[in-house]
Amino acid sequence: MFGKSKRDKIKPMKADALISEIGGVNEKFVRHLLTLNIRTIRDLFFHFPFRYDDFSRVVPAAELKIGEVATVSGVVKRVRSTRSWKRKMAVTEAVVADDSGGVRAVWFNQPFVGKVLKPGQRINLSGKLTLGKNGAYFSAPAYEIVGGNGRAKHTAGLVSVYPETRGLTSRGIRYLINLFLNRTEKLPDTIPEHIRKNAGLPEINDALRKIHFPESPGEAEEAKKRFAFEDLFLMQLASLSEKLKLSQCRAYPIEINAADFKTRLDSLPFELTASQKKSLAEILNDVARGRPMNRLLEGDVGSGKTVVAALAALAAADNGFQTAFMAPTEILARQHFKTLTKMFPHFEGGIGLLTGSEARICYGHDLESASTKAVVKKEAKNGHLKITIGTHSLIAKGKKSTGLELNKPALVVVDEQHRFGVNQRQTLASGKKTVPHFLSMSATPIPRTLALAVFGDLDLSIIDELPKGRKKILTKVVAPENRNKAYDFIREQIKKGRQAFVICPRIEQTTDDQRPTAGNIGKFPAAGRRTPANLEIKSVKEEYEKLSKKVFPDLKIAMLHGKMKAKEKEEIMKKFAGGKIDVLVSTSVVEVGVDVPNATIMMIESADRFGLASLHQFRGRVGRGEHQSFCLLFTDSVFETTRKRLEAVSAAKNGFELAERDLEIRGPGELLGKEQSGLPDLMMRALKNAALIKEARREAEKIIAKDSSLKQYPLLQNRLLKFKEKIHLE
Ligand code: ADP
Ligand code: MG
């Protein structure tokens, strides 16, 4: 890559240098690196391997065994490149020998190997010995000419494997990283030394070398732990500084009159559960203080979060303050509007609905009426309307915003979207001296340590029981041979007037080859490994065809998926909710909150493709009415472990139990959802490590307590700023 004569004159490079501007780097490499989002040398250093191939077993050629992975170190005896005329493929064959004997190596379609290898060279070959027609051979082994200084990079040890891109292999990435590690100025360490020592973590430059070129598995672990800690630590610093900032802001104090409040509770059609009461008390206690609340209310689907949030909003209204109440979709916003107006028919404070397609107002006595967006906005701005319900566009910044302004914005409630709104709440209070209280609600049961790691700035309230008298949903894992029986059962239910959901993992069949890439890394157990379980993954379009033409030609079947327009989706959901559709075949888009009490069957295809917590969420879509509900889990998986895992869904007491298991089995990505996928990969994995999370929290607390603005740690201060931008905290 660099001309030989230039090589010795090169000064150490800056880590922030753009690779495109370093003379001598092949333009093609630069382009490939860009597709991996690598611009600077630093970016390249932080492109971490997702696994290591273990080639550390070096054996004499004579001791190689078929099927075993090993390294042979010897001398090239001969090299021959031919073209197989049948398949028009370049074939390179080499024989390498040591004192014990020789071994043959064959590479297909890698003609450059034939150009690089020369008889007489001392090389390593690493790979698996295979038995072919002409005897045993190494099939496309990793090769490396040895004799230079330093340890081998591609063979004879732990060899890092990276997210790749077409045209740039792990070998190329290793080559570049090694080259730059040797020619770049040392990076300053953002983790203060005393913290590094306390936590037993290696220094940054040391750790970089160890993560890319470990001498042992222990070294790789040590380095991974360091980088994971670094991210967790930054996350905690971000949370704690955010918390501190908020604690210095003012908010409208929301106080309650105990007697009036009791009357309101008594007028509810049901008694709150113990955990609803506890959560409500935590919320009311927070909002009374005149400092902004920052709270996450977690509870299973159907545990009754809405009423808790509504009671807080009503308390704000009693004090003359206003609430913005946000749902992820228009359907859910309308549902919340209906729920609130029905549940509190005597509330005269004014409840408004403001979405892209609808505007409504209700001033008590259940007399809701259609209105216009302009009127709703005006009533909100002049303070008459105490609760405004809408989608996230209510407080989104920029173009999507509905431009809602409130006179006294005291509370922001966000349903089913964890992080959204924490900062956007400010938009409602522009030009005001106070910051609204913030209450986020989530049906994703996030285990406590995970919540601490990712939402460390939010306090947590948990509803861990369902209201009394709910019928348990009968859950069954259905074996393939019982599929027809299950269809008969569904037909029977529909004849009785019920409705069914059928959930499939995919919209349509695809041929994507499941290779890990930069984008999906971490989602696959091992590179490109196919299991019988992922050979057939059910798709909405196929199942829709099958069910509507063959299985239930006499019933009304519809489909729903993410590629449909929002309007179409809403239309279908409306029809389903209105009983005009018998069976709805859908992807996971139905996952959040829609209430169809008449739907009693949740049938999930290729259930093994979903996390347990997701399955639990789907199941929560049924069992909302008076009839007994059922959840049928289908899988073609032949693995006993898969079936066992699915059985856990029927045995679990609540979503938290399943979430803990998901965290162990599939990691936090599943639980946190897509919007969190901006988190660094190593950190995602570190989120399973409760001890490390707590340690990061402790160290962050100590440092913030001493020096909240991090004045003494300018490097850290700077890193934190960038980190906050990355996770959208700033
Ligand atoms: P989620 O927590 O999933 O948002 P909802 O707030 O939609 O749950 O509540 C689900 C249903 O349970 C609603 O119909 C609600 O009126 C009802 N509900 C809430 N709390 C109770 C309770 N304590 N007792 C009986 N029913 C309740
Ligand atoms: Mg809800």
Side-chain angles (χ1 to χ4, degrees), residues 478-490:
V478 183
E481 61 270 23
N482 289 330
R483 180 172 282 275
N484 286 334
K485 271 194 215 153
Y487 285 144
D488 291 344
F489 176 73
I490 291 175

Side-chain angles (χ1 to χ4, degrees), residues 270-273 276 300-306 467 470 624:
F270 45 73
E271 196 191 339
L272 294 184
T273 61
Q276 279 175 315
D300 264 7
V301 176
S303 62
K305 297 181 290 290
T306 318
R470 286 278 165 82
R624 303 205 139 204

Side-chain angles (χ1 to χ4, degrees), residues 305-306 336 415-416 593:
K305 297 181 290 290
T306 318
H336 282 327
D415 194 12
E416 303 294 356

Side-chain angles (χ1 to χ4, degrees), residues 417-478:
Q417 199 158 7
H418 309 124
R419 177 63 67 186
F420 179 84
V422 177
N423 292 76
Q424 286 87 339
R425 67 175 128 179
Q426 223 75 14
T427 58
L428 276 177
S430 61
K432 303 217 158 52
K433 289 204 182 78
T434 60
V435 173
H437 298 289
F438 178 78
L439 179 65
S440 167
M441 301 193 282
S442 168
T444 311
I446 303 165
R448 268 189 192 272
T449 38
L450 185 56
L452 180 71
V454 187
F455 310 115
D457 51 332
L458 303 181
D459 295 307
L460 206 55
S461 288
I462 292 181
I463 305 183
D464 57 5
E465 61 186 321
L466 292 181
K468 273 194 223 78
R470 286 278 165 82
K471 283 206 183 85
K472 195 170 166 9
I473 299 163
L474 293 176
T475 303
K476 250 197 146 53
V477 182
V478 183

Side-chain angles (χ1 to χ4, degrees), residues 15-22 30 32-45 180:
D16 290 315
L18 288 170
I19 296 176
S20 58
E21 287 176 5
I22 298 168
V30 173
H32 293 323
L33 289 172
L34 273 181
T35 61
L36 292 171
N37 262 328
I38 298 171
R39 289 161 199 280
T40 64
I41 297 177
R42 183 190 302 273
D43 294 342
L44 181 64
F45 287 169
F180 284 122

Side-chain angles (χ1 to χ4, degrees), residues 566-582:
K567 267 244 145 41
E568 284 177 279
K569 280 191 279 187
E570 295 249 339
E571 217 30 62
I572 297 278
M573 242 7 255
K574 242 194 228 160
K575 275 193 186 162
F576 189 64
K580 296 193 182 78
I581 292 168
D582 299 317

